[in-house]
Amino acid sequence: MDNLKSLVKAATILDCFSTLDRKLTAAQIATRTDIPRGTVHRILRTLRDLGLVDQDRDRDQYRLGMKLFELGTTVLANMDLHREASASVESLTRASGETVHLSVFDGQNSTVINRTDPGDGRVNTVVVLESSPGHATASGKAALAYQSGAAIERFLARGLPRIAPNTITDPARLLAELETIRGQGYAVDDEELQTGTRCVGAPIRDMSGRVFAAISVSGRADRFTPERIAVYADLVRHHAQAISLHLGYRPDAPGSAGLAERA
């Protein structure tokens, strides 16, 4: 039982790190997790020895280690989504002429696992692991909109940090936007993650109808006019549906109507 408790604490510590908090001290981690500082130090030493975290030289600062990246790439290689979506990702890249992101949603963050850029007559694909808060991206909002009410409440309870000047930080405004997303079937990131970049994303469903991922098109804000956004919205919805079908989702299956409204 003690080993299980230590494992839970280790997972809680690792969960403190994000793209916004790339480096943390033991004191910061202890404050965020309510785990005694001495225990945090002990667990961090073990995680460091395992390669799961790295420690800055002569400083009490830690960051995620390369071992996690190795494990993550193994997960990607074994993911049905990564395999089944590849053709649709390349097709969307060619059709839009913009960068395409394939992302998974863990209930809080949207993590890009595949970025595909248009090239001179070819498509360039890069495998990445890049997480961003769900409320600040089109992919994250597209997935969040279809979670259960309880899951959305948990998301809001953790707060809505401002990432860029346009980031939605008001819970009521985000809830209203999620309702709009459910009505139209796609989400828009209006320079909410990065100034100068807009994005349009649509949800991807697994065999059971659960929304767990999204596909999006992103590019320079000046190219994403209202007219172009409407075109991209049709494209991302079409390709998200194609990926969902490849994963085994059947919208006409018994019980899928309710799932389609909110998975």
Side-chain angles (χ1 to χ4, degrees):
M1 183 60 70
D2 288 341
N3 288 338
L4 180 58
K5 289 181 179 179
S6 295
L7 180 60
V8 171
K9 289 177 182 177
T12 302
I13 289 172
L14 291 174
D15 197 42
C16 289
F17 296 92
S18 70
T19 53
L20 299 179
D21 298 301
R22 298 176 188 272
K23 292 184 179 182
L24 293 170
T25 65
Q28 289 172 319
I29 293 172
T31 299
R32 295 183 184 201
T33 61
D34 288 328
I35 299 174
R37 187 168 175 177
T39 303
V40 169
H41 268 296
R42 176 175 57 79
I43 294 174
L44 283 171
R45 284 196 298 270
T46 300
L47 294 174
R48 183 192 60 198
D49 293 342
L50 293 172
L52 298 175
V53 299
D54 292 330
Q55 182 179 9
D56 284 357
R57 285 186 178 181
D58 304 322
R59 298 187 65 184
D60 181 32
Q61 277 197 325
Y62 297 84
R63 60 184 181 276
L64 296 181
M66 284 299 297
K67 185 63 178 180
L68 287 171
F69 182 78
E70 294 173 15
L71 293 172
T73 54
T74 301
V75 171
L76 289 180
N78 292 324
M79 281 183 67
D80 289 340
L81 174 64
H82 205 265
R83 293 192 300 271
E84 299 296 342
S86 59
S88 291
V89 169
E90 291 191 11
S91 172
L92 180 56
T93 306
R94 291 192 176 94
S96 66
E98 301 285 357
T99 297
V100 172
H101 292 107
L102 182 67
S103 307
V104 293
F105 184 68
D106 65 3
Q108 290 294 327
N109 297 309
S110 179
T111 301
V112 177
I113 62 172
N114 183 304
R115 185 184 73 241
T116 306
D117 300 305
D120 297 329
R122 57 197 175 100
V123 171
N124 304 307
T125 299
V126 179
V127 174
V128 292
L129 284 172
E130 203 170 76
S131 294
S132 301
H135 68 291
T137 69
S139 293
K141 290 189 292 183
L144 179 63
Y146 293 91
Q147 305 307 305
S148 67
I152 293 176
E153 287 179 9
R154 287 194 298 271
F155 182 91
L156 294 175
R158 296 189 62 169
L160 303 175
R162 186 177 300 280
I163 314 302
N166 283 3
T167 305
I168 298 174
T169 58
D170 176 33
R173 184 182 163 198
L174 180 61
L175 288 171
E177 178 146 347
L178 296 181
E179 184 66 33
T180 298
I181 292 167
R182 287 191 289 272
Q184 63 192 16
Y186 67 92
V188 176
D189 160 13
D190 186 15
E191 302 183 72
E192 296 161 43
L193 181 67
Q194 181 177 349
T195 299
T197 300
R198 288 196 174 106
C199 186
V200 184
I204 295 172
R205 300 176 184 276
D206 62 15
M207 183 181 296
S208 69
R210 178 180 65 94
V211 172
F212 74 107
I215 189 170
S216 63
V217 170
S218 65
R220 276 183 11 212
D222 60 352
R223 290 201 297 264
F224 277 58
T225 62
E227 295 76 19
R228 294 307 299 168
I229 287 176
V231 172
Y232 294 149
D234 287 340
L235 285 172
V236 295
R237 284 185 300 188
H238 171 77
H239 286 81
Q241 178 78 341
I243 295 169
S244 299
L245 293 175
H246 277 297
L247 291 171
Y249 171 60
R250 295 296 176 263
D252 54 351
S256 61
L259 287 169
E261 182 177 349
R262 178 178 287 183

